[in-house]
Amino acid sequence: MSFWHSMTWHTEGISVTAPVKWRQFDGLVSAFWEAESQVGAKGYYLAADPRIMIFFNDVSSRIRMSNRDGELSQHSRPMTRAVYVPAGVPMWTGSNATHRFSHLNLHIHKDRLLRFLSPAVGGSAAMTALRRPVEMQDIGAVETLAGLLVDELAKPQKHPLYAESLVGSIVAGLLDIPGSTPEQANGRLTQAQMNRLLARVEKRGDGRMTVAEMADIVGLSESWFATVFRQTTGKTPLQWQLERRIDAAQKLLLEGDLTVADIAAQLGFSDQAHLTKAFRQSVGNTPAAWRRLHRLL
């Protein structure tokens, strides 16, 4: 994904002390800054994409930050070592002492973050994580990962995948990713989740969805969804979908005069023979024979 971040910013009393080291990767831009801040220095930042700042020295006693229209005097707080700022969230900063600092900036396209997080935690949880700001003072291993990334920015030696993997690890270590609900922790889908799946199947008409689509509807990763779905229903997602399609076929056979071929096409079966085989395996009779029998009852 070709990407360059869109950001509005201006500063007063902050000067760069060394050339910025930066690289552009798949859906993200990484930049390492070294700067000096004067007493009374100010900054304003607003990015259209999510971003992460990681400071390599403790600036909490020197820099204050606020997300409220520059109200640093009443609504500010100390700048932490690592900050995740969701897209569209403004930030104002102010310095109360002259000091030097260095930090790593990561500007990441929202779709790139979703592509990274969703397979592991599900689309709903990923979207929730993207909306939650994070401020962390004790950054531990995140600082080590950031240092390795800065080394690669300064002197690229490896495939871009290495730097992108470091960014992914930083994201996983920093973002506030929702945990499992009690029902999910016990390995079962909630009734609300099952209702969402049923509603989507009915809306689709043909009743056909991939396992990834089903997992996204209930906000779970694909692998975890497949496990808890079977523990909840006793069936695989595809077996369950086939049953819903057979139920729909029975309803159409009874309520209208569509041919078996028309019903097969409407419900996404490859042809009449495909529906007939699946119907016989599930119900014990062919669609035509089942229709005749139940219309006589």
Side-chain angles (χ1 to χ4, degrees), residues 251-265:
K251 185 176 181 180
L252 291 171
L253 286 166
L254 288 179
E255 295 181 351
D257 294 318
L258 290 174
T259 66
V260 175
D262 288 339
I263 293 173

PDB file of all heavy atoms in Angstrom, residues 251-265:
ATOM      1  N   LYS A 251     -38.577 -24.189   2.929  1.00  0.00           N
ATOM      2  CA  LYS A 251     -39.577 -23.125   2.984  1.00  0.00           C
ATOM      3  C   LYS A 251     -40.017 -22.728   1.577  1.00  0.00           C
ATOM      4  O   LYS A 251     -41.224 -22.546   1.312  1.00  0.00           O
ATOM      5  CB  LYS A 251     -38.985 -21.921   3.718  1.00  0.00           C
ATOM      6  CG  LYS A 251     -39.963 -20.786   3.941  1.00  0.00           C
ATOM      7  CD  LYS A 251     -39.320 -19.668   4.761  1.00  0.00           C
ATOM      8  CE  LYS A 251     -40.318 -18.535   5.005  1.00  0.00           C
ATOM      9  NZ  LYS A 251     -39.709 -17.429   5.809  1.00  0.00           N
ATOM     10  N   LEU A 252     -39.073 -22.615   0.657  1.00  0.00           N
ATOM     11  CA  LEU A 252     -39.413 -22.251  -0.717  1.00  0.00           C
ATOM     12  C   LEU A 252     -40.201 -23.363  -1.415  1.00  0.00           C
ATOM     13  O   LEU A 252     -41.111 -23.085  -2.216  1.00  0.00           O
ATOM     14  CB  LEU A 252     -38.136 -21.938  -1.500  1.00  0.00           C
ATOM     15  CG  LEU A 252     -37.393 -20.664  -1.091  1.00  0.00           C
ATOM     16  CD1 LEU A 252     -36.043 -20.581  -1.768  1.00  0.00           C
ATOM     17  CD2 LEU A 252     -38.233 -19.426  -1.432  1.00  0.00           C
ATOM     18  N   LEU A 253     -39.885 -24.603  -1.113  1.00  0.00           N
ATOM     19  CA  LEU A 253     -40.605 -25.736  -1.717  1.00  0.00           C
ATOM     20  C   LEU A 253     -42.067 -25.745  -1.295  1.00  0.00           C
ATOM     21  O   LEU A 253     -42.956 -26.084  -2.089  1.00  0.00           O
ATOM     22  CB  LEU A 253     -39.936 -27.053  -1.317  1.00  0.00           C
ATOM     23  CG  LEU A 253     -38.603 -27.379  -1.997  1.00  0.00           C
ATOM     24  CD1 LEU A 253     -37.892 -28.519  -1.268  1.00  0.00           C
ATOM     25  CD2 LEU A 253     -38.811 -27.722  -3.470  1.00  0.00           C
ATOM     26  N   LEU A 254     -42.335 -25.361  -0.052  1.00  0.00           N
ATOM     27  CA  LEU A 254     -43.698 -25.394   0.466  1.00  0.00           C
ATOM     28  C   LEU A 254     -44.507 -24.158   0.098  1.00  0.00           C
ATOM     29  O   LEU A 254     -45.723 -24.232  -0.120  1.00  0.00           O
ATOM     30  CB  LEU A 254     -43.681 -25.552   1.991  1.00  0.00           C
ATOM     31  CG  LEU A 254     -43.271 -26.913   2.544  1.00  0.00           C
ATOM     32  CD1 LEU A 254     -43.288 -26.893   4.061  1.00  0.00           C
ATOM     33  CD2 LEU A 254     -44.212 -28.016   2.025  1.00  0.00           C
ATOM     34  N   GLU A 255     -43.839 -23.001   0.058  1.00  0.00           N
ATOM     35  CA  GLU A 255     -44.581 -21.743  -0.044  1.00  0.00           C
ATOM     36  C   GLU A 255     -44.770 -21.241  -1.469  1.00  0.00           C
ATOM     37  O   GLU A 255     -45.537 -20.313  -1.690  1.00  0.00           O
ATOM     38  CB  GLU A 255     -43.867 -20.663   0.774  1.00  0.00           C
ATOM     39  CG  GLU A 255     -43.862 -20.945   2.281  1.00  0.00           C
ATOM     40  CD  GLU A 255     -43.169 -19.854   3.060  1.00  0.00           C
ATOM     41  OE1 GLU A 255     -42.549 -18.970   2.419  1.00  0.00           O
ATOM     42  OE2 GLU A 255     -43.228 -19.888   4.296  1.00  0.00           O
ATOM     43  N   GLY A 256     -44.105 -21.811  -2.434  1.00  0.00           N
ATOM     44  CA  GLY A 256     -44.219 -21.295  -3.799  1.00  0.00           C
ATOM     45  C   GLY A 256     -44.162 -22.396  -4.826  1.00  0.00           C
ATOM     46  O   GLY A 256     -44.164 -23.594  -4.506  1.00  0.00           O
ATOM     47  N   ASP A 257     -44.088 -21.972  -6.068  1.00  0.00           N
ATOM     48  CA  ASP A 257     -44.066 -22.919  -7.179  1.00  0.00           C
ATOM     49  C   ASP A 257     -42.754 -22.870  -7.951  1.00  0.00           C
ATOM     50  O   ASP A 257     -42.689 -23.254  -9.120  1.00  0.00           O
ATOM     51  CB  ASP A 257     -45.228 -22.615  -8.132  1.00  0.00           C
ATOM     52  CG  ASP A 257     -46.578 -22.864  -7.461  1.00  0.00           C
ATOM     53  OD1 ASP A 257     -46.697 -23.882  -6.753  1.00  0.00           O
ATOM     54  OD2 ASP A 257     -47.479 -22.021  -7.626  1.00  0.00           O
ATOM     55  N   LEU A 258     -41.709 -22.371  -7.311  1.00  0.00           N
ATOM     56  CA  LEU A 258     -40.405 -22.367  -7.958  1.00  0.00           C
ATOM     57  C   LEU A 258     -39.960 -23.789  -8.256  1.00  0.00           C
ATOM     58  O   LEU A 258     -40.218 -24.717  -7.469  1.00  0.00           O
ATOM     59  CB  LEU A 258     -39.364 -21.694  -7.071  1.00  0.00           C
ATOM     60  CG  LEU A 258     -39.472 -20.180  -6.864  1.00  0.00           C
ATOM     61  CD1 LEU A 258     -38.434 -19.724  -5.836  1.00  0.00           C
ATOM     62  CD2 LEU A 258     -39.267 -19.441  -8.184  1.00  0.00           C
ATOM     63  N   THR A 259     -39.296 -23.967  -9.394  1.00  0.00           N
ATOM     64  CA  THR A 259     -38.738 -25.278  -9.694  1.00  0.00           C
ATOM     65  C   THR A 259     -37.553 -25.556  -8.786  1.00  0.00           C
ATOM     66  O   THR A 259     -36.980 -24.629  -8.187  1.00  0.00           O
ATOM     67  CB  THR A 259     -38.283 -25.355 -11.151  1.00  0.00           C
ATOM     68  OG1 THR A 259     -37.169 -24.451 -11.323  1.00  0.00           O
ATOM     69  CG2 THR A 259     -39.401 -24.975 -12.110  1.00  0.00           C
ATOM     70  N   VAL A 260     -37.163 -26.791  -8.671  1.00  0.00           N
ATOM     71  CA  VAL A 260     -36.003 -27.144  -7.863  1.00  0.00           C
ATOM     72  C   VAL A 260     -34.757 -26.465  -8.411  1.00  0.00           C
ATOM     73  O   VAL A 260     -33.898 -26.000  -7.650  1.00  0.00           O
ATOM     74  CB  VAL A 260     -35.813 -28.680  -7.826  1.00  0.00           C
ATOM     75  CG1 VAL A 260     -34.533 -29.053  -7.083  1.00  0.00           C
ATOM     76  CG2 VAL A 260     -37.020 -29.346  -7.171  1.00  0.00           C
ATOM     77  N   ALA A 261     -34.673 -26.342  -9.725  1.00  0.00           N
ATOM     78  CA  ALA A 261     -33.525 -25.667 -10.341  1.00  0.00           C
ATOM     79  C   ALA A 261     -33.492 -24.189  -9.950  1.00  0.00           C
ATOM     80  O   ALA A 261     -32.431 -23.624  -9.664  1.00  0.00           O
ATOM     81  CB  ALA A 261     -33.578 -25.813 -11.856  1.00  0.00           C
ATOM     82  N   ASP A 262     -34.671 -23.537  -9.923  1.00  0.00           N
ATOM     83  CA  ASP A 262     -34.731 -22.125  -9.539  1.00  0.00           C
ATOM     84  C   ASP A 262     -34.327 -21.941  -8.077  1.00  0.00           C
ATOM     85  O   ASP A 262     -33.631 -20.982  -7.731  1.00  0.00           O
ATOM     86  CB  ASP A 262     -36.137 -21.577  -9.753  1.00  0.00           C
ATOM     87  CG  ASP A 262     -36.485 -21.397 -11.228  1.00  0.00           C
ATOM     88  OD1 ASP A 262     -35.540 -21.306 -12.036  1.00  0.00           O
ATOM     89  OD2 ASP A 262     -37.680 -21.369 -11.543  1.00  0.00           O
ATOM     90  N   ILE A 263     -34.782 -22.844  -7.231  1.00  0.00           N
ATOM     91  CA  ILE A 263     -34.438 -22.768  -5.809  1.00  0.00           C
ATOM     92  C   ILE A 263     -32.944 -22.967  -5.618  1.00  0.00           C
ATOM     93  O   ILE A 263     -32.297 -22.265  -4.820  1.00  0.00           O
ATOM     94  CB  ILE A 263     -35.246 -23.808  -5.004  1.00  0.00           C
ATOM     95  CG1 ILE A 263     -36.728 -23.434  -5.013  1.00  0.00           C
ATOM     96  CG2 ILE A 263     -34.720 -23.913  -3.573  1.00  0.00           C
ATOM     97  CD1 ILE A 263     -37.634 -24.483  -4.403  1.00  0.00           C
ATOM     98  N   ALA A 264     -32.375 -23.904  -6.369  1.00  0.00           N
ATOM     99  CA  ALA A 264     -30.932 -24.149  -6.284  1.00  0.00           C
ATOM    100  C   ALA A 264     -30.155 -22.888  -6.649  1.00  0.00           C
ATOM    101  O   ALA A 264     -29.196 -22.504  -5.964  1.00  0.00           O
ATOM    102  CB  ALA A 264     -30.546 -25.305  -7.204  1.00  0.00           C
ATOM    103  N   ALA A 265     -30.582 -22.215  -7.718  1.00  0.00           N
ATOM    104  CA  ALA A 265     -29.893 -20.990  -8.146  1.00  0.00           C
ATOM    105  C   ALA A 265     -30.060 -19.882  -7.113  1.00  0.00           C
ATOM    106  O   ALA A 265     -29.110 -19.146  -6.816  1.00  0.00           O
ATOM    107  CB  ALA A 265     -30.442 -20.547  -9.497  1.00  0.00           C
TER     108      ALA A 265
END
